[in-house]
Amino acid sequence: MYACLYAPGSSPAALLDLALEFSPYVEQSSGDTVIFCLDPLRKLLGSPYQIASEISRLGYERSLQANLAIASNPDTAILLARHTKGVTLIPPGEEQRKLAPLSLAELTTDQAILDLLLRWGVKSCEDLAVLPEAGVAERLGPGGVYLRNLSLGVLHRPLRISAETSNYERRVVLEHPIVLLEPLLFLFSSALAEICSLLRSQSRAARQLAISMDLRQSAYQAVLEFPVPLTDHRTMLKLLQLHLERHPPKGEVVAFQLRVEPVEPRRVQSGLFLPATPLPDKLQITLARIAGMVGDENVGSPQRLNTHRPDAFRMAGLNFQLESQPEDVPPPVPPPVPHGEMLRLAIRIFRPALEARVRLVELAPKDVLATGVKGAVMRSAGPWKTSGEWWADTAWSRDEWDVALDDGGLYRIYQEGQTRDWFVHGVYD
Amino acid sequence: MANLSYAVPCDPRWKRAIELPQRAEEKSSNSLQIPALNHLLINGLTRGSLVETSGARSSGKTSICVHILAQATKRGEVCAIVDLHNSFHPDSAAASGVHLDRVLWVRCKCNPEYTMRAADLLLHAGGFGVVLLDLSEAQAGILNRIPPSYWYRFQRAIQNTPTILLICADAPQAKAASRYSFECQAKAFCWLGERPFARLRGITATAKQRKLTAICPEMPLQITVA
């Protein structure tokens, strides 16, 4: 037997609390409707009548105005609770009779089926229940059969128990302030171990770790984003340690709070013939260590920008999908290697570009002098005039030349359009 | 002693020194095929080896490295570039066929210590197809201060792994620790047309293996503008 409480206008939390007084397995189908199973209460409270009176008494004590319906299946209980005032108790086998007067519009919101049934003259559950099942299935499909079973009150299903929302955060107030990182990490370790254990037990993983620390005179807050969801507290602790070593709190820590953002864990189907890729958790620690040396802005994947501006790129986060397969996954047997593939000329860029002194003869460079670059021009090609983005701060205008110097190098130099200054942009190599 | 020398050829567990290189050749199915360098590397680059390309400016060493990266990323491998002087050019690499979304680029702010430490960390993290250590344009005095033990450490780190460590420098650095060492030299720069309509066509260079010179003599390379 199932009980349904329907309380329009009341607090969903209060309704859920009332249901949880009687059963730990409660389905909250909407904000104003809860359903729970009564079978375990039979030995504790007695017959369904006694259970209904107990629910009514507790609801009255809590000043909760609700309709209560008890039926042999959840959907019948919901329909009757929503459309019958007060307490309704349906003995098994009486569902069809009780549901008979209900309009079909109460059962479904599918307007196409409703219109069709109305054209057939079927207006209530009673009309629908008398239709033959095979005929309904032929004409209306599974949706029609579902509605017919609903109107008969014979639809059985398990409750959709809402998972308890867990609290993935730990707050620790220290008895004595801590200055050093090492004892702080000891405390972080135990807190993270608890959180990760909870995450794993609920098949969740952390994508983000937020840390806030109360210092003696200020506060410290940081958020660590993980490229892939993690459940290993050691990896999180190492990343946290590397972050705190780079950005230490400026003062004594009196309390801290760790909070993770739960997401679906990463599930990967590896292939035998896929190329090896770095392990995500190991890679994160490695990148954090490297970023600690060279800075976050100097580690990443180069991403070209949608512009013709020379050397336009940005350092993006690692966007190679470690779990996804490459587009051109090699088959198990290596394909025949083409022999005609050519080497393409690469260029090395001087960043920033080297300021240069260039002597022109007949409007062509004849000598180039810059830091580390010096020589007479043996041959040149240009100028290639480029400009763009005049509407933005990134505007450029330059005349580019490819020059071969007598020092044996092949360089790309350019002259700024505005200032007429010369620069060595890079060397072909 | 006489008995042992007599027994060696009969026992399959023992191999003569001359047979040892053949064992590496047997791994060719697990090697990285480099189409443009097939005449230099018949069996491709053996995994787990340290490879050097060296040469002066405009000798084509960077083009070779970028080509190797392109082949690796085409196969879906994740590669890393440890760049001492922040000189990697994403546009020309993409034009050479490098899938930039599978490349991790570490810019070391001209600090050789950071460069070596970053390479060390990446090699020990594992999982990369090719790690390019770009030491080009570094002063000889700075490179000479790198302890030789670093190269052996790197060699040990990638041994028996699918990773290839590729070193690009003006002069050979790893010496005996490297398995392949290519020395590049520009022969001529190729131009199309005459002034004022001339344009750069490419570089004609030669590359030779500094090791195994008897097997692989000097070979010409044609490097064209993408």
Side-chain angles (χ1 to χ4, degrees):
Chain A
M1 300 289 281
Y2 294 88
C4 176
L5 282 166
Y6 173 65
S10 68
S11 158
L15 195 63
L16 187 63
D17 280 348
L18 178 62
L20 287 171
E21 291 286 335
F22 293 93
S23 173
Y25 305 112
V26 178
E27 173 185 318
Q28 190 159 25
S29 57
S30 65
D32 52 12
T33 310
V34 291
I35 314 129
F36 52 96
C37 184
L38 297 182
D39 291 340
L41 294 172
R42 298 290 286 269
K43 285 184 182 173
L44 195 66
L45 296 177
S47 67
Y49 296 98
Q50 289 167 311
I51 296 170
S53 64
E54 188 64 22
I55 295 171
S56 304
R57 186 187 63 76
L58 203 61
Y60 179 75
E61 281 178 10
R62 296 189 179 189
S63 309
L64 199 68
Q65 290 192 340
N67 297 340
L68 171 66
I70 296 178
S72 60
N73 62 71
D75 292 307
T76 305
I78 291 172
L79 285 171
L80 290 173
R82 284 185 174 168
H83 302 103
T84 314
K85 286 201 178 300
V87 178
T88 311
L89 207 152
I90 314 293
E94 292 290 314
E95 292 90 355
Q96 185 181 350
R97 189 177 61 79
K98 281 285 184 182
L99 290 170
L102 287 185
S103 158
L104 286 181
E106 314 292 352
L107 302 188
T108 181
T109 55
D110 189 342
Q111 202 57 43
I113 288 185
L114 280 177
D115 290 345
L116 191 63
L117 289 171
L118 281 175
R119 281 203 296 276
W120 292 351
V122 178
K123 294 176 183 171
S124 65
C125 288
E126 186 180 12
D127 301 335
L128 183 58
V130 295
L131 294 179
E133 185 177 4
V136 171
E138 273 178 23
R139 289 163 177 82
L140 298 177
V145 175
Y146 171 79
L147 279 183
R148 182 178 175 276
N149 289 338
L150 207 56
S151 62
L152 284 169
V154 294
L155 203 64
H156 286 272
R157 66 169 175 88
L159 292 181
R160 289 185 285 267
I161 312 289
S162 57
E164 190 182 348
T165 52
S166 298
N167 185 15
Y168 300 105
E169 69 178 42
R170 293 290 180 274
R171 179 173 176 79
V172 176
V173 180
L174 306 173
E175 290 181 5
H176 304 287
I178 292 180
V179 181
L180 297 175
L181 185 58
E182 194 172 340
L184 203 55
L185 288 173
F186 181 74
L187 296 171
F188 286 161
S189 173
S190 59
L192 281 174
E194 280 180 31
I195 294 174
C196 288
S197 169
L198 186 63
L199 283 170
R200 282 193 297 271
S201 70
Q202 298 180 351
S203 189
R204 309 288 278 173
R207 189 68 190 250
Q208 192 186 71
L209 171 65
I211 176 171
S212 58
M213 288 189 267
D214 296 341
L215 308 181
R216 196 174 277 283
Q217 285 158 358
S218 59
Y220 178 95
Q221 288 193 332
V223 177
L224 299 185
E225 295 269 358
F226 308 131
V228 290
L230 294 177
T231 53
D232 182 26
H233 77 278
R234 290 185 192 87
T235 308
M236 284 191 212
L237 184 67
K238 194 70 193 172
L239 291 169
L240 188 56
Q241 179 188 355
L242 291 167
H243 179 83
L244 290 176
E245 281 173 357
R246 275 185 285 154
H247 311 285
K250 293 179 175 59
E252 296 173 330
V253 180
V254 292
F256 69 83
Q257 179 175 317
L258 296 174
R259 181 170 50 81
V260 303
E261 203 62 46
V263 292
E264 283 291 311
R266 174 175 173 261
R267 294 185 177 90
V268 184
Q269 176 64 56
S270 299
L272 276 176
F273 305 109
L274 292 178
T277 51
L279 295 175
D281 47 352
K282 213 171 176 181
L283 182 65
Q284 284 182 47
I285 293 177
T286 304
L287 294 183
R289 282 186 167 140
I290 294 173
M293 285 191 298
V294 299
D296 290 326
E297 70 283 2
N298 289 316
V299 183
S301 188
Q303 200 174 60
R304 293 196 294 161
L305 302 180
N306 187 17
T307 171
H308 292 290
R309 193 173 71 244
D311 200 24
F313 70 91
R314 72 181 185 92
M315 292 293 269
L318 284 184
N319 56 359
F320 53 81
Q321 296 296 311
L322 295 171
E323 56 264 33
S324 70
Q325 299 187 0
E327 296 160 11
D328 44 354
V329 177
V333 179
V337 178
H339 288 260
E341 194 163 337
M342 296 287 288
L343 278 174
R344 298 289 180 186
L345 188 57
I347 186 170
R348 310 176 61 81
I349 300 296
F350 297 119
R351 294 192 181 95
L354 305 176
E355 284 186 39
R357 289 168 58 190
V358 177
R359 186 168 68 88
L360 298 177
V361 174
E362 294 178 0
L363 299 176
K366 272 297 164 196
D367 292 296
V368 178
L369 177 63
T371 308
V373 179
K374 181 185 178 186
V377 176
M378 309 297 290
R379 188 155 183 186
S380 63
W384 316 112
K385 292 179 180 293
T386 66
S387 63
E389 297 182 7
W390 48 266
W391 57 90
D393 295 337
T394 52
W396 88 94
S397 169
R398 54 168 66 173
D399 296 346
E400 294 186 348
W401 294 78
D402 293 327
V403 295
L405 299 189
D406 61 357
D407 69 350
L410 183 61
Y411 299 90
R412 180 185 291 174
I413 63 173
Y414 68 89
Q415 186 178 30
E416 278 280 351
Q418 297 280 329
T419 59
R420 311 308 294 168
D421 290 336
W422 284 89
F423 296 90
V424 180
H425 184 52
V427 55
Y428 290 102
D429 192 18
Chain B
M1 191 63 193
N3 288 339
L4 180 63
S5 62
Y6 180 75
V8 164
C10 306
D11 193 338
R13 291 175 300 172
W14 293 89
K15 284 194 179 292
R16 289 176 296 174
I18 198 168
E19 293 170 348
L20 289 176
Q22 291 175 6
R23 292 187 63 202
E25 302 301 331
E26 288 165 12
K27 297 180 187 172
S28 60
S29 60
N30 193 28
S31 61
L32 180 63
Q33 297 295 312
I34 314 294
L37 303 177
N38 270 349
H39 51 282
L40 276 175
L41 296 162
I42 295 158
N43 291 312
L45 287 178
T46 309
R47 302 277 180 183
S49 59
L50 197 153
V51 183
E52 278 191 292
T53 57
S54 58
R57 278 180 181 170
S58 306
S59 59
K61 60 181 184 299
T62 307
S63 302
I64 291 177
C65 293
V66 169
H67 182 70
I68 292 171
L69 281 180
Q71 297 304 312
T73 53
K74 266 183 198 168
R75 292 162 69 114
E77 296 175 14
V78 179
C79 299
I81 300 170
V82 186
D83 194 354
L84 172 60
H85 279 110
N86 185 17
S87 56
F88 176 68
H89 189 228
D91 285 337
S92 72
S96 300
V98 176
H99 293 229
L100 292 177
D101 54 345
R102 290 177 203 149
V103 170
L104 170 68
W105 183 16
V106 181
R107 302 187 289 182
C108 297
K109 302 194 287 191
C110 304
N111 188 323
E113 186 189 340
Y114 290 169
T115 310
M116 300 306 280
R117 283 177 60 192
D120 191 36
L121 287 168
L122 289 172
L123 292 176
H124 281 89
F128 291 96
V130 176
V131 175
L132 169 60
L133 178 56
D134 191 351
L135 299 172
S136 300
E137 305 286 334
Q139 294 173 4
I142 291 173
L143 293 179
N144 288 342
R145 284 206 292 273
I146 297 173
S149 59
Y150 251 112
W151 306 117
Y152 291 100
R153 179 180 165 81
F154 289 168
Q155 186 199 35
R156 301 292 292 179
I158 59 175
Q159 209 171 33
N160 300 321
T161 70
T163 305
I164 293 170
L165 174 59
L166 190 58
I167 300 169
C168 183
D170 295 343
Q173 300 297 318
K175 306 287 189 319
S178 66
R179 178 170 167 78
Y180 308 95
S181 180
F182 301 109
E183 191 170 0
C184 305
Q185 194 175 8
K187 291 294 179 192
F189 302 136
C190 308
W191 306 84
L192 282 176
E194 290 297 324
R195 267 194 53 78
F197 304 109
R199 69 180 177 89
L200 180 66
R201 183 169 175 270
I203 296 176
T204 302
T206 58
K208 67 175 180 183
Q209 276 210 53
R210 297 181 68 249
K211 299 180 175 181
L212 307 174
T213 47
I215 301 172
C216 302
E218 186 173 278
M219 286 291 175
L221 293 175
Q222 191 65 42
I223 307 171
T224 54
V225 174

Short mmCIF file of all heavy atoms in Angstrom, two decimals, chain B residues 80-100:
data_model
loop_
_atom_site.label_atom_id
_atom_site.label_comp_id
_atom_site.label_asym_id
_atom_site.label_seq_id
_atom_site.Cartn_x
_atom_site.Cartn_y
_atom_site.Cartn_z
N ALA B 80 54.54 17.10 -26.38
CA ALA B 80 54.88 18.26 -25.54
C ALA B 80 56.07 18.99 -26.14
O ALA B 80 56.95 18.36 -26.73
CB ALA B 80 55.20 17.81 -24.12
N ILE B 81 56.05 20.30 -26.01
CA ILE B 81 57.17 21.13 -26.47
C ILE B 81 57.68 21.91 -25.27
O ILE B 81 56.91 22.66 -24.65
CB ILE B 81 56.72 22.10 -27.57
CG1 ILE B 81 56.19 21.33 -28.77
CG2 ILE B 81 57.88 23.00 -27.99
CD1 ILE B 81 55.51 22.20 -29.80
N VAL B 82 58.92 21.70 -24.94
CA VAL B 82 59.55 22.48 -23.87
C VAL B 82 60.45 23.49 -24.56
O VAL B 82 61.46 23.13 -25.16
CB VAL B 82 60.34 21.57 -22.91
CG1 VAL B 82 60.86 22.37 -21.74
CG2 VAL B 82 59.48 20.42 -22.43
N ASP B 83 60.05 24.74 -24.49
CA ASP B 83 60.61 25.77 -25.35
C ASP B 83 61.42 26.75 -24.51
O ASP B 83 60.87 27.51 -23.71
CB ASP B 83 59.42 26.48 -26.04
CG ASP B 83 59.87 27.34 -27.19
OD1 ASP B 83 61.08 27.46 -27.39
OD2 ASP B 83 59.00 27.89 -27.88
N LEU B 84 62.71 26.71 -24.69
CA LEU B 84 63.57 27.58 -23.87
C LEU B 84 63.35 29.05 -24.19
O LEU B 84 63.21 29.87 -23.29
CB LEU B 84 65.04 27.19 -24.11
CG LEU B 84 66.10 28.09 -23.50
CD1 LEU B 84 65.95 28.13 -21.99
CD2 LEU B 84 67.49 27.61 -23.86
N HIS B 85 63.29 29.39 -25.48
CA HIS B 85 63.26 30.80 -25.86
C HIS B 85 61.90 31.26 -26.35
O HIS B 85 61.81 32.32 -27.00
CB HIS B 85 64.31 31.08 -26.93
CG HIS B 85 65.67 31.26 -26.35
ND1 HIS B 85 66.69 30.36 -26.53
CD2 HIS B 85 66.18 32.23 -25.57
CE1 HIS B 85 67.76 30.77 -25.88
NE2 HIS B 85 67.48 31.92 -25.30
N ASN B 86 60.86 30.49 -26.11
CA ASN B 86 59.51 30.89 -26.52
C ASN B 86 59.48 31.21 -28.01
O ASN B 86 58.99 32.24 -28.44
CB ASN B 86 59.08 32.12 -25.69
CG ASN B 86 57.65 32.51 -25.96
OD1 ASN B 86 56.88 31.73 -26.51
ND2 ASN B 86 57.29 33.74 -25.60
N SER B 87 60.05 30.32 -28.81
CA SER B 87 60.17 30.61 -30.23
C SER B 87 59.29 29.72 -31.11
O SER B 87 59.35 29.83 -32.33
CB SER B 87 61.63 30.46 -30.67
OG SER B 87 62.08 29.16 -30.35
N PHE B 88 58.51 28.86 -30.50
CA PHE B 88 57.63 27.99 -31.28
C PHE B 88 56.56 28.85 -31.97
O PHE B 88 55.99 29.76 -31.36
CB PHE B 88 56.98 26.97 -30.34
CG PHE B 88 55.98 26.07 -31.00
CD1 PHE B 88 56.38 25.13 -31.93
CD2 PHE B 88 54.64 26.16 -30.69
CE1 PHE B 88 55.46 24.30 -32.54
CE2 PHE B 88 53.71 25.34 -31.28
CZ PHE B 88 54.12 24.40 -32.21
N HIS B 89 56.31 28.53 -33.23
CA HIS B 89 55.35 29.32 -33.99
C HIS B 89 54.14 28.44 -34.32
O HIS B 89 54.24 27.54 -35.18
CB HIS B 89 55.99 29.82 -35.29
CG HIS B 89 55.15 30.80 -36.02
ND1 HIS B 89 54.89 30.70 -37.37
CD2 HIS B 89 54.47 31.89 -35.60
CE1 HIS B 89 54.11 31.70 -37.74
NE2 HIS B 89 53.85 32.43 -36.68
N PRO B 90 53.03 28.63 -33.65
CA PRO B 90 51.88 27.73 -33.84
C PRO B 90 51.36 27.72 -35.28
O PRO B 90 50.96 26.67 -35.77
CB PRO B 90 50.82 28.30 -32.88
CG PRO B 90 51.59 29.04 -31.86
CD PRO B 90 52.78 29.59 -32.56
N ASP B 91 51.40 28.87 -35.96
CA ASP B 91 50.85 28.92 -37.32
C ASP B 91 51.65 28.03 -38.28
O ASP B 91 51.07 27.27 -39.06
CB ASP B 91 50.84 30.37 -37.83
CG ASP B 91 49.74 31.17 -37.18
OD1 ASP B 91 48.77 30.55 -36.72
OD2 ASP B 91 49.85 32.40 -37.12
N SER B 92 52.98 28.15 -38.24
CA SER B 92 53.76 27.34 -39.18
C SER B 92 53.71 25.87 -38.79
O SER B 92 53.77 24.99 -39.66
CB SER B 92 55.20 27.83 -39.24
OG SER B 92 55.90 27.52 -38.07
N ALA B 93 53.57 25.59 -37.49
CA ALA B 93 53.44 24.19 -37.07
C ALA B 93 52.12 23.61 -37.58
O ALA B 93 52.08 22.48 -38.07
CB ALA B 93 53.51 24.10 -35.55
N ALA B 94 51.06 24.42 -37.47
CA ALA B 94 49.76 23.93 -37.96
C ALA B 94 49.81 23.71 -39.47
O ALA B 94 49.24 22.76 -39.99
CB ALA B 94 48.67 24.93 -37.59
N ALA B 95 50.53 24.61 -40.16
CA ALA B 95 50.65 24.44 -41.62
C ALA B 95 51.45 23.19 -41.96
O ALA B 95 51.27 22.61 -43.04
CB ALA B 95 51.34 25.67 -42.21
N SER B 96 52.32 22.77 -41.06
CA SER B 96 53.10 21.55 -41.31
C SER B 96 52.32 20.30 -40.95
O SER B 96 52.83 19.20 -41.12
CB SER B 96 54.38 21.58 -40.48
OG SER B 96 55.15 22.69 -40.83
N GLY B 97 51.14 20.49 -40.38
CA GLY B 97 50.30 19.32 -40.08
C GLY B 97 50.24 18.96 -38.61
O GLY B 97 49.71 17.90 -38.27
N VAL B 98 50.76 19.81 -37.74
CA VAL B 98 50.69 19.51 -36.31
C VAL B 98 49.27 19.80 -35.82
O VAL B 98 48.73 20.87 -36.10
CB VAL B 98 51.71 20.37 -35.52
CG1 VAL B 98 51.56 20.14 -34.04
CG2 VAL B 98 53.11 20.06 -35.97
N HIS B 99 48.69 18.86 -35.11
CA HIS B 99 47.39 19.08 -34.48
C HIS B 99 47.65 19.78 -33.15
O HIS B 99 48.05 19.14 -32.18
CB HIS B 99 46.66 17.77 -34.25
CG HIS B 99 46.26 17.09 -35.52
ND1 HIS B 99 44.99 16.62 -35.74
CD2 HIS B 99 46.95 16.84 -36.65
CE1 HIS B 99 44.93 16.09 -36.95
NE2 HIS B 99 46.10 16.22 -37.51
N LEU B 100 47.43 21.08 -33.15
CA LEU B 100 47.82 21.87 -31.97
C LEU B 100 47.04 21.49 -30.72
O LEU B 100 47.49 21.70 -29.61
CB LEU B 100 47.65 23.36 -32.25
CG LEU B 100 48.62 23.94 -33.29
CD1 LEU B 100 48.30 25.39 -33.56
CD2 LEU B 100 50.06 23.80 -32.84
#
